[in-house]
Amino acid sequence: MPSPPWFVYERSAPKGFARSFDRAFGKGDDFEIAFLEPVSEAIPDCVEVLQILGNAYTRSGLYEKGLSIDRRLTAICPGDDVAHYNLACSLALLGRKDEAFESLARSLDLGYRDLHAMVKDKDLESLRTDPRFVQILRSMIRR
């Protein structure tokens, strides 16, 4: 079996490589977005690319773009509980509570069960004061 390329081993990268890379190509979400937007156009149904791009949009405050990606992901993977959960998060960030609760309920129907993440997720902050949020939490506990 051939050995992996040098960049697989973090400790084998030349000293200062990460800093030089960031200076040359950008850093963080801006780089991911610039790199992945054309990839997502060339390979529009690549789930992994869309997941990373959607997360980068959301972290950058580009909630409408993140919502667009989440809608694409739920269309590509209609039975994916996490895709529907992420769609609910995007909708909540945009203040679209009714749609967010619908998507959150759909994610539960599909098997989403991470109660801890739901309670801590800052993206769902706008939903926490709504009685429907407590109902969803109770239904998760009963399942």
Side-chain angles (χ1 to χ4, degrees), residues 12-73:
S12 68
K15 188 174 183 170
F17 174 78
R19 196 172 326 120
S20 298
F21 184 87
D22 289 345
R23 254 189 256 119
F25 299 105
K27 186 173 186 174
D29 296 326
D30 292 339
F31 172 75
E32 284 184 354
I33 291 168
F35 181 80
L36 292 174
E37 281 179 335
V39 174
S40 73
E41 291 170 15
I43 313 169
D45 292 341
C46 183
V47 171
E48 293 83 2
V49 168
L50 292 174
Q51 289 170 334
I52 295 167
L53 184 57
N55 288 335
Y57 281 147
T58 300
R59 285 190 307 267
S60 297
L62 301 170
Y63 301 139
E64 287 289 345
K65 286 187 172 191
L67 174 61
S68 175
I69 295 291
D70 289 334
R71 288 197 189 283
R72 284 172 63 186
L73 284 166

Side-chain angles (χ1 to χ4, degrees), residues 88-122:
C89 289
S90 288
L91 290 162
L93 285 167
L94 290 165
R96 295 162 71 170
K97 289 184 179 185
D98 292 337
E99 291 174 271
F101 279 114
E102 287 174 25
S103 190
L104 205 50
R106 179 73 180 132
S107 73
L108 296 179
D109 291 343
L110 293 170
Y112 189 84
R113 296 289 179 271
D114 195 343
L115 179 68
H116 179 72
M118 191 180 296
V119 169
K120 296 284 184 183
D121 196 328
K122 292 178 182 178

Side-chain angles (χ1 to χ4, degrees), residues 121-139:
D121 196 328
K122 292 178 182 178
D123 294 350
L124 300 176
E125 190 68 36
S126 67
L127 305 182
R128 290 209 177 86
T129 57
D130 191 302
R132 293 175 287 182
F133 191 76
V134 174
Q135 289 173 337
I136 285 176
L137 294 178
R138 285 186 181 147
S139 74

